[in-house]
Structures are given as structure tokens and as C-alpha cells.
Amino acid sequence: MDFFKKNSSILALEIYIFSLFLILSNINGIFASHNVFFDLQSLSAVSVKNIHRTGFHFQPPKHWINAPMYYNGIYHLFYQHNPKGAVWGNIVWAHSVSRDLINWIHLEPAIYPSEKFDRYGAWSGSATILPDNKPVILYTGVVDAHDAQVQNYAIPANLSDPFLRKWIKPNNNPLIVPDGSINRTKFRDPTTAWMGRDGHWRILIGSVRKQRGLAILYRSRDFMRWMKAKHPLHSTNGTENWECPDFFPVSLRNTNGLDVSYRGKDVKYVLKNSLDATRFDYYTIGMYHITRDRYIPDNNSIDGCKGLRPDYGNFYASKSFYDPRKNRRIMWAWTNESDVLPEDEIKKGWAGIQAIPRKVWLDPSGKQLVQWPIEELETLRKQKVEFNNKKLPRGEMFEVEGISAAQADIEVTFSFSSLDKAEPFDPKWADLYAQDVCAIKGSTSQGGLGPFGLATLASKKLEEYTPVFFRVFKAQNNYKVLMCSDARRSTLRHNEAMYKPSFAGYVDVDLLHKKLSLRSLIDNSVVESFGAGGKTCITSRVYPTLAIHENAHLFAFNNGTETITIETLNAWSMDSTKMNSEIHSGF
């Protein structure tokens, strides 16, 4: 009996309906982070429901939940937070600290809207460590009810406090006020500053002119007086508003991270933008022409919505920082809720989590980034199960038992003896997004080489499951590897507004050795997956009704005609992190 066969008659209808929804979602994007619900934004949680709360992903104790920093041996996370309710509004800069990026202590908020330069909102920004080892925060302030925006700064009140609990906003704010050429309501999210060879500081601010997304460049000698450059560092027509820009160098030699002010050789640069129109993050790789202060993407690095994404799922407003402690660059991102309706957030009492911090580096090909969960996450691994050389013929599935499937870390390597059965790639799909192809050729549609992978957060009888899988196609001159994380069957809960996409991306991998690897982090309501060693990443938010806690199951499956071998499968139950509200002696 083919895997999932009993559900195939229902799926045929879902394919058509969901293909239409994907087209709409590319226009309207994921549920917007800046939607304001005045009647709900101060409605506090009566209780916090834990059914779908994550165990090892960062989230505040309750309510709505982006500038990371390493300073004097401690990691700091500053993030947008509504202290009064579970929807967007009343935004403050919340503050948490950690020694390992896994276990956190929640402190009092660092920045509240309080002055004329941020009275209507203290929005996103970045942290920079100045040469005298003094940290400074740059952030966007909203100055009126029409969302007019300026750029402000804050500094620690007491540098001798190891946790930098209190921050002050000097009275010479704002530092940057938009001139008449800038859209004042779309002028936000200053980057970490970097210093050029001329000794001047530089930052980028996201904006838009007509439909052209902009990374506006500002320079300063003293970090206090900033001048707008004649030209943006980079801009792209048709991409609309750019949010949360991130700009950093990556090494051509190794996987080590580089400080944003690095001036050495053998580097390329990454420019990442969060597109307001789609609610997804995109990036290009290219060259930074320092003397002209212009960034030029490589010829093979597509700019815009058809370009590369750090993650092809629920992953937005990402921000990276250089970690000098372990000489690495780390990227974090916000992963929003997908149950969409604000009433759902109110009932849960919380909304939004952070993705697992990821080490990020340049692939040896120079064409894309590679990401991998930070090594500290492995300290949460508990009981382990292992399989080797397990054959999966067509329609085969088996349950991975002996771990907690609702909160787990799984690493698996699949192999196959031949590429001959790879099904042809339909030329009509060339103009579709990968997730459109996944919606057409899902986990239940039998193929040749694939679909094969993991069915995560599954109920015992497969009424609910979120499959993460590969499918190999034969194109005209090469093979195309599709990786999917398909949330369409993730829950029996009926909510027409719930966002349950078949997220997907293509994997740029050499199939010479006929192997594909997958790592999935399963955490109650999130499935965060890394294909081919981190070349393609997909994060899905899901809300099962049956597959929760001890009733969640994990299966490996093959629904292709080519037999698949699980060369190795290592799976661990994952412990929960420590999220405290008080400093303890062991910190």
C-alpha cells in the first residue's frame, strides 16, 4: 500500500485550490507584522496556553515578540515586543541575555517610546560596538500618528553593569531625519555600522522610491552627524519597500565569520533585504566597491523575488551579527504565527518566536550561503535512536520510535543507486516558484526518484502530518532537486484564514554520489529543516490538534519507484531551554 494513499483523493482538490492561494500569497504576503489592532493590542493574556509553545526556540513568556549583540562575554538579544498583548502594538525594545545563545534570562525592556522622537513607536534597528568598546543602538523612531520615521540612538546607562539593563536616549536625538527625497513613512531599520578605509562610519536604511527598493547609505565621521550619500548603496526596481537590510562580508577561504568592518582580501559581500510586499527575506552575493560605495550583485545572483532566500518558509526580518567569541557570523530571524487571526493569538496568550540561531558562511561555489544550527543547540540532545542501511522501497514507511517526536532533532542521509527514474521536469514549471511545484507534486503524488523524507508532527493514523521531503527531476541538461516542507495536512483544525503553505526551494547540490542529507528540528509548532548540509532551509509553523506532545509521531517514507536507502539516521529527544526572568548564580 503506497504511503499516504488513503489521503490522495482529498489532496487532488487541495492541489488546485492551494495553487491559486500561492499566487495570491505572493502578492499579499504573510500576515503583516505591522498590522495594528487598536482594540486588541493591549488585551493581556489571562493564561498562557502551552499546547503549541516551543521548547527550545526563543520566545518571551507571553505576548507578541530583532538586534543581537555579543559584548564582554554575554550575548544580548533586543527584539520588538508588545508587553501588553499578543498582537502587534505598544512596541518596545525587549531585552534578554545569554551565555550560550540557547538559555536566556529576560530583563526589563531596554527602550520604551517616551520622547518626541519616538513617541509613536520604537521600531527595529541594530547594535554596533564602537572602537572604545562602547555599544550603541541605532533604532527607528516614529514621530507622529502618520508613521513618519527618524533614526535615533541609545547608549547604556552603566557600562559596569554586565547585563546592560538600562539604556538612555540622549537629547541630541534624532540623529537622522529624512530629506525631501525620501518617503518618510518607509524609512527604517538602520544596519550595524561599519567603518570604511577613510575612517568614516557607514550605515544602510531601508526605503522605497516609487517601486524601487532602496538601501540608502549614510556616512559619519563621529557617529553623531550623518550625511546621506548621493546614491544608494544598491537599489532594485519592482521590489517595493525594503525592510531590515543586512550587509556583511563573507570569506572566500573558509567558514569563519568576519566583522562588518573587515578590510582584508578574498571576500565577497551579502546584501539581504526583507521585502515588505511578500514578507520574505531575499539576498544577493556580490562585490562591494569601497571607493565608490556601491554594491554590485554577481551576474548569477538574481535580484528580487526570483532570487535566493535564506529560508523558504516562515522566516522574516532576519539579522546577522559577528560573534568574536567563536569567530562566526550568526543569523537570526522572526518566525511569525500562521494561524493568522489575531483572536487566535489572544487565546494562546503569545505570538511569534525566533528561529534557531544559525552559523552562516559562503558555499565553496561562491553562489549562495550555507546555514547550520549553532553547535550549542546540541547540548539539549537527550535520548538517542539510530538506524543504518534501512531500505525504503516504493510506498514504504517506518516509524522512528524511542524519542519524543514533538520535540526532536533528526539528522538523516538518504542514498539511491540510480538517477534513471528521475521524472522529467515540466518546462511549464520554469516560471513557477518552487512552492508552486511542490503544491502540484506533493508528498502523496508518486514519482520516480522521490518524494522521500520525513513525516513530522504526525498523528498515529496520519490524519495530520507535516512532510519534509526531496523530489529529483531530470531537466534538459541537469537534475533539479526540490525540497518541500508541506503544511497543508498539518492540522485538522478548520480555519479558512490559516496559512498552511507547501513551502519549497530548489537545492543546488551535486548528485555525483547519489546522496541527499536532511536535518529537521521539530519543536511542537515549528519544523525547521536544513537540506544538503544547509544549502536550502525551510521553516514551517504548524498547529496540530492530534499530533501534540506524547501523541506526536515521526515517520520516514518513500513514495517513489526508486528504492531509497537510509544510510544513517540519528534522532534525539530535545530538552527545553531555560527561560528565566531572574539572574541566577549559575549564569
Side-chain angles (χ1 to χ4, degrees):
M1 177 178 177
D2 287 351
F3 183 56
F4 304 147
K5 185 175 182 180
K6 63 180 179 179
N7 298 314
S8 61
S9 61
I10 300 174
L11 185 63
L13 178 61
E14 290 183 344
I15 288 173
Y16 171 77
I17 295 172
F18 197 74
S19 295
L20 175 61
F21 178 70
L22 283 173
I23 294 171
L24 296 176
S25 71
N26 285 331
I27 298 170
N28 298 317
I30 297 174
F31 182 55
S33 63
H34 288 168
N35 281 10
V36 179
F37 304 92
F38 292 108
D39 57 333
L40 300 175
Q41 66 182 13
S42 297
L43 185 59
S44 182
V46 176
S47 63
V48 176
K49 292 188 177 181
N50 293 318
I51 292 176
H52 296 124
R53 274 187 73 86
T54 58
F56 56 89
H57 285 72
F58 178 91
Q59 62 186 124
K62 61 180 180 179
H63 297 154
W64 196 90
I65 147 162
N66 304 355
M69 176 180 74
Y70 178 80
Y71 181 71
N72 287 355
I74 295 174
Y75 296 101
H76 296 255
L77 177 62
F78 303 95
Y79 54 97
Q80 302 284 279
H81 177 57
N82 180 356
K84 297 182 179 180
V87 299
W88 197 88
N90 304 308
I91 293 302
V92 304
W93 271 52
H95 184 195
S96 296
V97 293
S98 173
R99 288 200 184 276
D100 60 6
L101 286 168
I102 298 296
N103 300 288
W104 292 88
I105 293 173
H106 300 298
L107 305 177
E108 59 268 31
I111 301 174
Y112 284 94
S114 61
E115 308 293 337
K116 63 182 180 179
F117 48 78
D118 66 4
R119 184 172 300 153
Y120 289 82
W123 288 5
S124 295
S126 301
T128 300
I129 308 296
L130 300 181
D132 54 1
N133 199 36
K134 293 181 179 179
V136 58
I137 286 173
L138 293 174
Y139 72 98
T140 297
V142 184
V143 299
D144 62 30
H146 303 289
D147 283 352
Q149 295 152 28
V150 298
Q151 311 310 318
N152 304 317
Y153 80 109
I155 56 177
N158 181 9
L159 284 173
S160 64
D161 174 9
F163 307 116
L164 304 178
R165 291 177 178 89
K166 294 185 178 181
W167 292 72
I168 59 175
K169 298 178 284 188
N171 58 14
N172 62 328
N173 275 304
L175 292 185
I176 302 175
V177 176
D179 63 28
S181 68
I182 294 173
N183 185 332
R184 298 181 68 211
T185 66
K186 292 180 171 56
F187 178 66
R188 52 182 174 263
D189 310 332
T191 63
T192 298
W194 74 95
M195 183 175 286
R197 292 175 180 173
D198 57 4
H200 293 190
W201 290 101
R202 289 154 171 82
I203 60 169
L204 302 179
I205 299 173
S207 188
V208 63
R209 184 179 297 123
K210 295 182 178 179
Q211 291 187 328
R212 177 176 288 275
L214 305 172
I216 302 176
L217 178 69
Y218 283 82
R219 303 186 187 97
S220 174
R221 286 180 177 270
D222 59 3
F223 217 88
M224 292 292 106
R225 294 178 292 273
W226 292 87
M227 296 293 294
K228 182 167 74 75
K230 184 177 180 180
H231 301 287
L233 182 83
H234 187 58
S235 66
T236 305
N237 193 32
T239 54
E240 301 187 28
N241 189 41
W242 286 3
E243 294 189 311
C244 303
D246 197 12
F247 185 61
F248 56 89
V250 285
S251 174
L252 289 167
R253 290 186 173 185
N254 51 53
T255 67
N256 291 340
L258 299 173
D259 180 80
V260 69
S261 295
Y262 179 78
R263 303 176 192 170
K265 299 179 179 179
D266 298 323
V267 299
K268 285 195 173 184
Y269 280 79
V270 176
L271 178 61
K272 188 279 312 179
N273 293 294
S274 303
L275 297 194
D276 203 5
T278 65
R279 291 283 149 180
F280 294 128
D281 282 10
Y282 302 84
Y283 73 92
T284 55
I285 295 170
M287 298 300 297
Y288 173 34
H289 298 275
I290 297 174
T291 56
R292 295 188 291 134
D293 266 332
R294 301 299 289 269
Y295 168 78
I296 307 296
D298 292 346
N299 290 334
N300 60 1
S301 200
I302 299 172
D303 230 341
C305 297
K306 289 286 187 178
L308 294 167
R309 288 165 53 183
D311 189 294
Y312 291 84
N314 285 68
F315 192 90
Y316 192 70
S318 61
K319 176 65 183 175
S320 73
F321 74 103
Y322 174 64
D323 177 9
R325 178 184 176 190
K326 293 196 173 182
N327 195 21
R328 59 188 176 177
R329 179 157 291 274
I330 293 173
M331 180 181 288
W332 264 9
W334 172 58
T335 174
N336 66 310
E337 303 302 317
S338 291
D339 42 4
V340 177
L341 295 176
E343 292 83 359
D344 293 323
E345 268 59 292
I346 299 298
K347 290 177 182 177
K348 289 203 305 279
W350 54 274
I353 64 171
Q354 295 291 117
I356 291 297
R358 304 171 177 182
K359 179 180 176 180
V360 58
W361 66 94
L362 186 65
D363 184 73
S365 69
K367 296 189 296 183
Q368 69 168 95
L369 295 176
V370 180
Q371 301 164 75
W372 200 246
I374 58 170
E375 61 188 24
E376 290 89 336
L377 185 67
E378 297 173 15
T379 63
L380 298 178
R381 289 172 170 175
K382 299 193 297 184
Q383 61 262 39
K384 176 186 177 183
V385 295
E386 181 178 356
F387 297 92
N388 296 290
N389 297 315
K390 172 72 175 178
K391 297 291 184 181
L392 293 178
R394 183 183 70 179
E396 182 72 14
M397 61 174 292
F398 82 96
E399 183 170 1
V400 180
E401 298 179 290
I403 61 166
S404 173
Q407 200 166 301
D409 184 358
I410 303 98
E411 295 190 43
V412 56
T413 299
F414 301 100
S415 67
F416 35 89
S417 60
S418 173
L419 292 163
D420 293 343
K421 293 182 181 179
E423 57 198 301
F425 185 81
D426 191 330
K428 293 185 294 185
W429 299 340
D431 293 329
L432 298 179
Y433 291 96
Q435 64 184 48
D436 297 327
V437 179
C438 182
I440 296 168
K441 305 288 285 185
S443 63
T444 63
S445 176
Q446 181 178 288
L449 186 46
F452 58 85
L454 301 173
T456 70
L457 292 175
S459 57
K460 185 65 175 178
K461 297 182 179 180
L462 299 173
E463 300 96 335
E464 297 176 333
Y465 55 89
T466 301
V468 184
F469 59 95
F470 297 109
R471 199 167 188 129
V472 182
F473 297 96
K474 178 69 170 71
Q476 186 173 1
N477 298 313
N478 61 349
Y479 292 94
K480 293 180 74 71
V481 178
L482 181 70
M483 176 179 163
C484 299
S485 181
D486 193 345
R488 289 177 293 173
R489 309 301 296 276
S490 60
T491 181
L492 293 178
R493 184 172 157 201
H494 295 291
N495 178 350
E496 293 181 359
M498 184 175 286
Y499 187 53
K500 298 189 294 182
S502 52
F503 285 133
Y506 291 109
V507 188
D508 186 5
V509 61
D510 187 353
L511 294 177
L512 176 64
H513 299 293
K514 302 180 182 63
K515 293 182 181 182
L516 285 168
S517 67
L518 175 66
R519 182 178 182 183
S520 287
L521 304 174
I522 303 166
D523 196 4
N524 296 296
S525 66
V526 58
V527 181
E528 195 168 352
S529 299
F530 303 80
K535 286 191 170 186
T536 298
C537 308
I538 308 177
T539 300
S540 291
R541 297 301 309 277
V542 295
Y543 308 91
T545 61
L546 300 176
I548 57 177
H549 303 318
E550 67 276 3
N551 294 319
H553 300 265
L554 173 68
F555 300 92
F557 73 92
N558 173 33
N559 207 20
T561 56
E562 174 71 29
T563 295
I564 300 298
T565 299
I566 296 178
E567 289 203 351
T568 60
L569 186 152
N570 296 305
W572 295 265
S573 294
M574 293 292 281
D575 203 354
S576 293
T577 57
K578 297 180 178 66
M579 300 278 182
N580 298 316
S581 298
E582 298 179 0
I583 304 297
H584 54 87
S585 59
F587 185 81

